[in-house]
Amino acid sequence: HLWWEKEDTTNVIREIRALKSQGISIIMVLRVALQHEYDNNPFKWHGMIFPKTNSQKKEWFYRYAYWVNMWATICEREGVDILAIGSELNALVSTTAIDSLPPISAYFANKKYQENHEFKILKYQDKLKAKNIWEYGVPIDSNQKRYINQKIASNLDWAKEVCHVQDSNYIDLINKDRTYLDSIWRSIIKQTRSVFKGKITLAANFDNYQEVNFWDDLDYIGINAYFALRNIQPIPIHDTTLYKDLKTGWTTVFHNIDSVKQFQKVPNKPIFFTEIGYTKKEDCTTAPWKGYGYSLLQNNTFDTLVIWQDAKDKPLERKLAMDALYEVTQRDSIPLEGISYWKMSSHLYHEEHEAFMLHVNKTPTDSLQNSLKQFLTRKEFLKE
């Protein structure tokens, strides 16, 4: 099922007009949220959405294409500058042909692999509290072992449906799905261009952009850039070393992006970070996608449990991550056309609800604000 509320449409249009009245450029990113109250969804996220049958795929995309066209029409009328036609729909935008299972799919399809990874957390279970054990915003079973087994079972069922791993010719079946999906997305892009004259992209997840086959039809390679920039270390590192590691991390990221561009024969396609952000917590650059719950951070020789709500504050780390991004893009002439920072607000009380928030002011109180200002070509950062 796929639906949206008319009231939400009205509210977003009101926000677009408020921003345009201040001379602010706008990127509209279309997002689908997964409803976790359904019995089949507690261990899944929107990147795993994948209708089961061909008829269900056809129905889902009929609705989705209508929704994109509706917003493309609104965006053209309201003067939106860039439209991202989807966000983090990993399974549905995986459209490159494959000859073996991609790493994430291979992980979900292998029970032993998951058990070897997931059960490592059990040695820390005495440190975990119910408030730290949750999945995509929903409280889960406080019995850690039972929860892990339920999660693994859910992943295995998903792999059977999406990756056809119960069939001997599963690679052929996956590629057939991907060919169909590629044609659907190209059709949506074509229809979008018929009504929207601005730039068009897709907000692909950092672990999935390389599986998108239709970048040639889009204006930017759009990435939600929550790349891990470094490995966890057993002892805190000096800020100078941290900054060096972050620059090395970004250099590797852009090298990998360039390799994908070369492989897909779009070497001159510019990049847009459709989402990037960090919490104020120490080690946030090791798992930038995490702001709540816990992570078991690992390198080749050691692992450690991080409960993000209780982790030590270190706002300097996220500032250094953005400084390193700016330096690397300038040094290596990276064609990064823009970034959309998650998440800025001028209301301080939002910090109670959003771990990634940057409180912005005309007179900056957080040094990250000045780091972001480096990326702007506009003369003014904020207006009344």
Side-chain angles (χ1 to χ4, degrees):
H1 303 283
L2 181 68
W3 70 90
W4 57 92
E5 305 293 343
K6 291 184 178 179
E7 181 182 352
D8 294 338
T9 304
T10 302
N11 291 337
V12 174
I13 292 172
R14 185 183 299 118
E15 291 195 17
I16 290 173
R17 291 175 178 174
L19 291 166
K20 296 300 287 190
S21 73
Q22 298 299 313
I24 296 174
S25 299
I26 299 174
I27 175 171
M28 167 71 78
V29 180
L30 301 181
R31 300 177 62 91
V32 177
L34 195 65
Q35 295 292 341
H36 288 103
E37 64 268 23
Y38 293 122
D39 291 341
N40 289 334
N41 288 344
F43 299 97
K44 298 179 176 66
W45 69 293
H46 50 270
M48 298 172 78
I49 293 172
F50 201 85
K52 292 182 180 181
T53 67
N54 288 337
S55 61
Q56 287 174 336
K57 289 186 185 71
K58 185 177 180 180
E59 172 66 16
W60 196 91
F61 274 108
Y62 174 81
R63 293 170 180 262
Y64 191 82
Y66 178 91
W67 184 62
V68 173
N69 186 71
M70 178 190 78
W71 276 110
T73 303
I74 293 171
C75 287
E76 176 64 19
R77 185 188 71 205
E78 301 295 336
V80 170
D81 301 274
I82 302 172
L83 175 63
I85 59 174
S87 178
E88 298 178 350
L89 293 173
N90 289 32
L92 287 172
V93 302
S94 292
T95 47
T96 56
I98 61 171
D99 52 22
S100 62
L101 276 181
I104 295 177
S105 298
Y107 174 79
F108 286 154
N110 189 308
K111 184 178 180 180
K112 280 294 181 185
Y113 190 10
Q114 292 185 71
E115 288 177 341
N116 290 339
H117 176 73
E118 295 286 350
F119 283 130
K120 290 180 180 178
I121 194 65
L122 294 181
K123 66 180 179 181
Y124 295 103
Q125 60 184 336
D126 291 343
K127 296 182 179 180
L128 291 172
K129 302 174 183 177
K131 69 175 183 177
N132 301 317
I133 307 174
W134 63 279
E135 193 76 27
Y136 305 114
V138 178
I140 61 173
D141 195 330
S142 59
N143 183 310
Q144 193 71 4
K145 188 172 183 179
R146 184 165 56 203
Y147 155 65
I148 291 172
N149 282 321
Q150 291 171 345
K151 181 178 181 180
I152 291 173
S154 176
N155 289 340
L156 291 170
D157 287 343
W158 182 88
K160 288 179 182 178
E161 290 182 9
V162 177
C163 304
H164 310 285
V165 291
Q166 74 277 18
D167 296 292
S168 59
N169 62 333
Y170 64 93
I171 295 297
D172 291 337
L173 293 173
I174 291 173
N175 283 330
K176 185 177 180 180
D177 285 341
R178 290 184 171 216
T179 299
Y180 170 75
L181 292 171
D182 186 68
S183 67
I184 290 292
W185 283 108
R186 291 183 187 276
S187 175
I188 290 174
I189 295 166
K190 183 178 180 180
Q191 174 61 28
T192 302
R193 290 201 185 280
S194 72
V195 296
F196 179 69
K197 306 308 177 186
K199 301 291 187 180
I200 302 174
T201 188
L202 171 81
N205 211 33
F206 69 97
D207 59 356
N208 180 244
Y209 73 92
Q210 64 272 32
E211 293 192 62
V212 177
N213 189 57
F214 47 89
W215 290 124
D216 57 316
D217 270 2
L218 294 165
D219 296 304
Y220 304 119
I221 294 176
I223 304 175
N224 287 0
Y226 294 100
F227 298 98
L229 298 177
R230 63 186 187 91
N231 288 325
I232 190 70
Q233 298 299 322
I235 59 174
I237 59 176
H238 191 274
D239 292 340
T240 302
T241 303
L242 171 61
Y243 187 62
K244 181 180 178 181
D245 288 349
L246 294 174
K247 288 193 293 182
T248 299
W250 280 123
T251 301
T252 301
V253 165
F254 286 116
H255 173 78
N256 292 337
I257 294 174
D258 189 63
S259 295
V260 172
K261 290 167 66 175
Q262 297 295 331
F263 178 77
Q264 295 205 13
K265 297 182 173 55
V266 288
N268 299 317
K269 188 72 66 174
I271 306 160
F272 199 110
F273 281 171
T274 40
E275 190 174 314
I276 183 173
Y278 304 89
T279 71
K280 291 183 176 181
K281 298 298 185 178
E282 185 175 40
D283 297 323
C284 64
T285 55
T286 63
W289 56 90
K290 292 290 289 188
Y292 307 94
Y294 68 88
S295 295
L296 183 61
L297 301 177
Q298 305 172 67
N299 63 23
N300 293 331
T301 59
F302 120 105
D303 59 60
T304 187
L305 175 72
V306 176
I307 298 173
W308 292 104
Q309 296 96 314
D310 301 333
K312 177 182 176 182
D313 283 341
K314 188 175 181 178
L316 177 64
E317 184 161 346
R318 66 177 183 174
K319 175 196 182 314
L320 293 179
M322 297 308 298
D323 286 343
L325 173 61
Y326 182 78
E327 182 174 338
V328 170
T329 55
Q330 296 300 301
R331 182 195 68 196
D332 298 340
S333 300
I334 303 296
L336 181 63
E337 289 289 307
I339 60 173
S340 181
Y341 192 83
W342 186 275
K343 190 174 189 180
M344 293 188 288
S345 175
S346 58
H347 300 293
L348 185 59
Y349 66 84
H350 284 168
E351 285 188 327
E352 298 177 18
H353 312 285
E354 178 53 68
F356 288 79
M357 201 195 94
L358 165 64
H359 182 217
V360 292
N361 293 276
K362 295 189 74 174
T363 302
T365 57
D366 189 318
S367 58
L368 175 62
Q369 182 171 327
N370 287 328
S371 294
L372 293 178
K373 192 174 181 180
Q374 298 175 100
F375 293 89
L376 296 173
T377 56
R378 292 164 55 91
K379 291 183 179 179
E380 298 174 81
F381 183 35
L382 294 172
K383 292 186 176 183
E384 290 287 353

